[in-house]
Amino acid sequence: MRVSTKKFGKIINDFSRTRRRVFPWRPPELRIKKDETAAEPYRVLVSEAMLQQTQVSRVCEKYEAFIKQFPNVRALANAPLSLVLRAWQGLGYNRRALHLQGAAREILRTHKGEIPRGREALETLPGIGPATACAIRAFAFNEPEIFIETNIRSVFIHFFFGPRPTGLGPVPLANVRDVELLPLIEKTLDRRNPREWYYALMDYGTMLKKQHKNPSRRSTSHVLQKQFKGSLRQARGAVVRAVLEHPHSLLELKKSLRLESDKVEQAVLGLTEEGFLKKANRKYVVGGE
DNA sequence: GGTGCAGAGTACC
DNA sequence: GGTACTATGCACC
């Protein structure tokens, strides 16, 4: 499909009027004035960390318990890593939990516990790159940022880069670059209420992917993932889970986890190097308290 | 039963 | 500037 930017705006806004999704990290109000902080920045920070490469449905299940256990920056910063990782189990990519707590500690130390509003200050925090910094600025502070996220990417490819080839025929070329999308995102952005506009785009994107094949396949940024089964990733996740239960020696981990022995050892060494694990009394425990 | 895919960031080359 | 790496479960083919 190819549409005018004006018509595009109407389609997205009309959709949002009836299909806007409500989440615990989103403010319920539909109309919020600029500069008004209706979404608590800490809640946005936690949600964005969880939502990096993890489906919304799964984040929903874990989010409220996490917030209840760590209701603010100070609580998260001062918590033992083991508790943070336990609360994180099921979300995947434990490294993000490590980063999120690192960010909380840095925010407490450098910004008096207040989530910084500046883009540069945000990007300095561990686990927060360009996209998440912009998302936090848009969602927590309603700042008119220009950024790309997987649903946004799908929506713009769908509307502005022709129809997706249907059914049989050659595999569609992955030739849409993000730099081609950015001017369109900038042009169509609702600067009066960026937060709701981006909510609407993302809500539309998820709807789109239920009806069509993922338009983001045509992005040069789209990558197919390696198989999880038998991967080091799988071993790392299993090791963290086991050590959270109780201390294990390397041999115990190798025996109890039904995974390739070399992978388990590699996982333990890597996780120790990264600060997940430490050795105490010849056994591995979760480190970084 | 196998595959694609989540509101990406970091490390390393 | 590209590339590989990082969990987990579920919807969909």
Side-chain angles (χ1 to χ4, degrees):
Chain A
M1 195 189 295
R2 288 174 194 273
V3 296
S4 68
T5 52
K6 187 180 172 186
K7 187 174 179 184
F8 172 70
K10 181 168 167 43
I11 292 171
I12 301 299
N13 283 322
D14 285 350
F15 176 84
S16 181
R17 217 158 281 140
T18 55
R19 305 278 295 277
R20 182 186 186 276
R21 296 177 297 171
V22 174
F23 298 119
W25 53 87
R26 286 187 181 186
E29 297 91 334
L30 285 169
R31 297 192 176 280
I32 295 143
K33 289 177 187 169
K34 192 173 186 297
D35 291 335
E36 193 177 336
T37 302
E40 191 190 330
Y42 173 71
R43 295 175 67 89
V44 173
L45 169 69
V46 172
S47 74
E48 289 302 326
M50 290 184 172
L51 288 162
Q52 289 170 357
Q53 300 288 285
T54 297
Q55 272 128 340
V56 170
S57 58
R58 202 136 47 93
V59 170
C60 283
E61 296 171 8
K62 303 284 178 183
Y63 179 80
E64 306 230 51
F66 191 95
I67 289 289
K68 194 168 182 179
Q69 190 171 3
F70 312 108
N72 50 50
V73 170
R74 183 178 298 275
L76 180 57
N78 292 333
L81 177 62
S82 56
L83 287 188
V84 179
L85 286 175
R86 276 197 193 98
W88 198 267
Q89 290 312 291
L91 289 169
Y93 290 128
N94 292 309
R95 205 177 262 174
R96 295 179 300 160
L98 203 60
H99 285 153
L100 178 59
Q101 186 178 40
R105 289 178 171 172
E106 186 62 23
I107 291 166
L108 190 60
R109 195 170 68 82
T110 312
H111 304 283
K112 301 176 182 174
E114 297 287 318
I115 314 292
R117 185 176 183 136
R119 189 164 165 177
E120 199 175 333
L122 285 166
E123 284 190 36
T124 307
L125 299 169
I128 299 183
T132 303
C134 287
I136 290 171
R137 281 171 56 72
F139 297 135
F141 303 110
N142 213 12
E143 289 281 353
E145 283 294 341
I146 311 297
F147 69 100
I148 294 180
E149 158 279 339
T150 184
N151 291 306
I152 297 171
R153 182 180 287 127
S154 291
V155 173
F156 280 87
I157 290 176
H158 175 79
F159 278 101
F160 297 104
F161 288 84
R164 169 193 54 83
T166 54
L168 303 174
V171 177
L173 287 174
N175 57 4
V176 183
R177 294 169 299 159
D178 284 347
V179 288
E180 301 177 78
L181 303 178
L182 287 171
L184 291 164
I185 296 173
E186 182 169 9
K187 187 176 179 184
T188 53
L189 173 63
D190 179 359
R191 293 177 179 276
R192 292 171 307 172
N193 201 341
R195 170 173 24 219
E196 287 298 328
W197 173 246
Y198 278 117
Y199 286 162
L201 282 175
M202 292 161 72
D203 292 351
Y204 197 95
T206 57
M207 179 278 293
L208 208 54
K209 283 185 246 189
K210 287 175 188 166
Q211 298 191 350
H212 304 264
K213 227 159 124 184
N214 186 1
S216 286
R217 286 169 183 239
R218 296 178 50 211
S219 168
T220 55
S221 302
H222 186 261
V223 285
L224 288 173
Q225 295 171 199
K226 265 178 58 183
Q227 190 172 49
F228 177 64
K229 194 177 175 184
S231 68
L232 179 58
R233 242 187 227 193
Q234 182 186 26
R236 286 170 56 102
V239 167
V240 169
R241 245 179 330 225
V243 173
L244 282 172
E245 287 293 320
H246 60 86
H248 283 71
S249 68
L250 180 57
L251 188 62
E252 288 168 341
L253 285 166
K254 286 182 174 180
K255 287 175 75 174
S256 61
L257 305 178
R258 297 174 173 264
L259 298 167
E260 204 179 317
S261 177
D262 287 349
K263 285 278 196 299
V264 173
E265 180 160 355
Q266 202 182 337
V268 168
L269 294 177
L271 288 165
T272 305
E273 181 70 23
E274 292 166 49
F276 284 101
L277 306 181
K278 65 182 178 190
K279 245 181 175 171
N281 299 327
R282 303 187 62 79
K283 293 199 177 189
Y284 286 96
V285 296
V286 172
E289 307 300 314

